[in-house]
C-alpha cells in the first residue's frame, strides 16, 4: 500500500467513527481535538523558540500550507485568483500577518496559560469591531457582556499590581488582529468564493512573513526543521478541525468546548515547563469565556428569530 494511503487510513477510520455520532457530539469532538492540537502546537513553539526567533518559526508555519494550495489552483486554474476586492485582501493579510507574528512572539515569551487566556478575547474584539466597522447593532445585553469580558482581561493583567509587559500587549493585539481577520473574511465572503479567500491568504502572507524571518534567520538543525514543520501541520489540522466543528453546530454550542484549551495547555505547561498559572489567570479566563459564550448564544438566538420572521 502506498505511504499516503497508509497514513490516511487511520484518520479515515477515526473520521468514520466520529460520523456515527449525533451532529452536536461530532462538533464537540472536533472542537476538543482542535484544542488538543493547538495546545500541542503551543508547546512545540515554546520548545523551538528557545534557540530560534518566533518570526522564523511563524514563517515556516505559513509556508507549510503552500503545498496544500497547489491542488486547489491545479483544479480550478488561475481563475481562482480573479477578484475586484484586492485592497480588502491586503487588509485581511495585514491582520493575519500581524496576528500570527504576535501570537508566536507571545507564546514564546509569556506563560502558556496566559497566552491562551488572552487569545480568548478575540470574540470580544470581533463583536466590538462588527459594531464599529460593519454597522451591526449592539444591544444592552451584548454591551454588558463585552464590559464583563474586558473586566476579565483586567483580572489577568492586574494593572497596578504587576507591570504591564510588552508581551501582554502583544498578546492582546494578537487577539484584536484575529478579530480583524475574522471580520475581513466575513465581509469578503459576501462576494468572494471561499477558495479565492483561502488562496490569497497563503499567496500574500507567505512572502510578507519571509521579510521579518530573513532578518532573524538562523540555520535550523534537522530536529528544529522537524519541529517547525510539525507546527505547520498541527496549525493546518487545527484550522480544519475548527471549521468542521462550526459547520456541524451553532457557535453557541461549539464555543464552550474551545475553552478546554486552557486546562489542556496548563497541564502540558506544568508537565513540560514546570509553569504553574495563578488563580487569577483562571478567574479572568473564566470571566472572558462566560461573556463570549453569552455573546455567541445571543447571536444564535437573534439569527434564529430572524429566520422565523423571514
Amino acid at each position: 500500500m502506498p505511504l499516503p494511503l497508509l497514513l490516511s487510513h487511520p484518520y479515515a477510520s477515526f473520521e468514520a467513527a466520529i460520523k456515527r455520532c449525533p451532529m452536536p457530539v461530532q462538533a464537540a469532538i472536533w472542537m476538543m481535538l482542535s484544542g488538543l492540537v493547538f495546545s500541542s502546537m503551543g508547546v512545540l513553539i515554546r520548545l523551538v523558540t528557545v534557540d530560534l526567533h518566533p518570526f522564523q518559526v511563524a514563517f515556516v508555519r505559513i509556508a507549510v500550507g503552500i503545498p496544500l494550495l497547489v491542488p486547489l489552483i491545479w483544479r480550478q486554474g488561475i481563475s481562482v485568483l480573479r477578484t475586484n476586492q484586492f485592497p480588502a485582501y491586503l487588509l485581511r493579510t495585514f491582520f493575519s500577518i500581524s496576528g500570527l507574528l504576535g501570537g508566536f512572539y507571545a507564546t514564546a515569551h509569556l506563560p502558556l496559560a496566559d497566552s491562551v487566556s488572552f487569545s480568548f478575547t478575540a470574540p470580544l474584539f470581533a463583536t466590538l469591531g462588527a459594531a464599529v466597522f460593519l454597522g451591526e447593532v449592539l444591544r444592552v445585553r451584548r454591551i454588558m457582556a463585552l464590559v464583563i469580558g474586558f473586566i476579565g482581561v483586567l483580572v489577568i493583567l492586574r494593572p497596578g499590581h504587576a507591570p504591564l509587559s510588552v508581551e501582554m500587549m502583544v498578546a492582546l493585539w494578537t487577539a484584536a488582529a484575529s478579530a480583524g481577520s475574522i471580520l475581513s473574511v466575513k465581509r469578503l465572503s459576501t462576494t468572494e468564493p471561499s477558495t479565492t479567500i483561502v488562496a490569497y491568504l497563503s499567496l500574500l502572507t507567505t512572502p510578507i512573513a519571509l521579510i521579518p524571518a530573513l532578518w532573524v534567520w538562523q540555520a535550523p538543525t534537522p530536529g528544529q526543521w522537524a519541529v517547525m514543520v510539525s507546527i505547520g501541520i498541527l496549525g493546518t489540522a487545527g484550522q480544519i478541525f475548527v471549521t468542521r466543528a462550526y459547520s456541524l453546530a451553532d457557535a453557541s454550542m461549539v464555543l464552550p468546548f474551545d475553552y478546554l484549551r486552557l486546562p489542556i495547555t496548563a497541564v502540558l505547561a506544568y508537565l513540560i515547563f514546570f509553569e504553574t498559572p495563578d488563580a487569577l489567570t483562571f478567574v479572568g479566563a473564566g470571566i472572558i469565556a462566560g461573556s463570549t459564550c453569552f455573546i455567541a448564544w445571543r447571536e444564535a438566538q437573534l439569527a434564529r428569530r430572524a429566520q422565523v420572521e423571514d
Side-chain angles (χ1 to χ4, degrees), residues 20-206:
R20 288 194 286 269
C21 300
M23 276 198 178
V25 176
Q26 291 183 44
I29 291 173
W30 286 119
M31 186 56 83
M32 287 188 286
L33 283 174
S34 76
L36 180 60
V37 164
F38 285 132
S39 296
S40 303
M41 178 178 159
V43 169
L44 293 181
I45 291 171
R46 172 64 63 78
L47 287 171
V48 78
T49 52
V50 171
D51 299 308
L52 299 178
H53 197 282
F55 291 176
Q56 179 176 348
V57 182
F59 164 72
V60 177
R61 153 71 183 98
I62 298 175
V64 166
I66 287 292
L68 303 176
L69 185 64
V70 174
L72 177 68
I73 296 179
W74 183 266
R75 282 197 309 269
Q76 299 195 22
I78 200 68
S79 63
V80 74
L81 299 179
R82 256 185 227 135
T83 181
N84 295 319
Q85 302 291 331
F86 193 70
Y89 282 108
L90 290 178
L91 180 63
R92 195 263 172 117
T93 300
F94 165 74
F95 285 128
S96 297
I97 283 289
S98 60
L100 184 78
L101 296 179
F104 274 61
Y105 182 86
T107 301
H109 293 93
L110 281 175
L112 287 178
D114 286 5
S115 178
V116 170
S117 297
F118 285 125
S119 74
F120 291 160
T121 62
L124 301 178
F125 285 113
T127 301
L128 189 60
V132 174
F133 299 109
L134 301 184
E136 293 188 8
V137 178
L138 282 184
R139 293 181 173 85
V140 174
R141 292 180 185 178
R142 282 203 282 178
I143 291 173
M144 289 302 298
L146 281 174
V147 171
I148 292 170
F150 284 113
I151 288 173
V153 175
L154 292 177
V155 171
I156 299 174
L157 290 175
R158 296 186 283 284
H161 294 277
L164 296 180
S165 66
V166 172
E167 291 80 7
M168 288 179 175
M169 295 299 99
V170 169
L172 278 176
W173 165 251
T174 297
S178 176
S181 181
I182 291 168
L183 294 175
S184 299
V185 171
K186 188 174 182 179
R187 172 162 282 184
L188 281 167
S189 62
T190 60
T191 59
E192 302 287 291
S194 59
T195 49
T196 302
I197 295 173
V198 171
Y200 269 110
L201 177 64
S202 293
L203 290 177
L204 292 176
T205 55
T206 304

